[in-house]
Amino acid sequence: MPKREITGTVISRAGEKSATVLVERRVIHPKYHKTVKRFKKYIIHDENNQVKVGDTVSAIECRPISKSKSFRLTAIVKAGE
């Protein structure tokens, strides 16, 4: 089964070796047929504590590391301000 990959913006450092990532996706509204944004927050595992708030990162699904962490950092796509 293929692993899910997400790309989003780091909105907070959620403690040691963790970061919260906000993922945005665009969907068509079923009634109004207009593109709307949907957001979801994921907590990712950052082994080396290298991400900062504002970075755009890519993460891949992995085994559950804790109750809320099941994604791990693969790359920093773009550094923040």
Side-chain angles (χ1 to χ4, degrees), residues 39-52:
F39 298 95
K40 187 166 181 186
K41 290 194 280 189
Y42 295 93
I43 298 176
I44 65 166
H45 182 69
D46 176 17
E47 185 64 39
N48 299 323
N49 286 324
Q50 57 190 1
V51 298
K52 297 177 184 66

Side-chain angles (χ1 to χ4, degrees), residues 33-66:
H33 302 290
K34 182 177 178 178
T35 304
V36 291
K37 295 178 189 176
R38 299 283 185 232
F39 298 95
K40 187 166 181 186
K41 290 194 280 189
Y42 295 93
I43 298 176
I44 65 166
H45 182 69
D46 176 17
E47 185 64 39
N48 299 323
N49 286 324
Q50 57 190 1
V51 298
K52 297 177 184 66
V53 175
D55 290 353
T56 302
V57 297
S58 176
I60 194 164
E61 192 175 27
C62 65
R63 65 177 178 80
I65 296 169
S66 71

Side-chain angles (χ1 to χ4, degrees), residues 8-42:
T9 306
V10 178
I11 56 172
S12 75
R13 290 298 317 225
E16 192 71 23
K17 298 185 179 183
S18 298
T20 303
V21 175
L22 185 70
V23 176
E24 172 190 319
R25 62 188 181 93
R26 295 173 187 268
V27 296
I28 302 292
H29 192 280
K31 182 176 180 181
Y32 300 113
H33 302 290
K34 182 177 178 178
T35 304
V36 291
K37 295 178 189 176
R38 299 283 185 232
F39 298 95
K40 187 166 181 186
K41 290 194 280 189
Y42 295 93

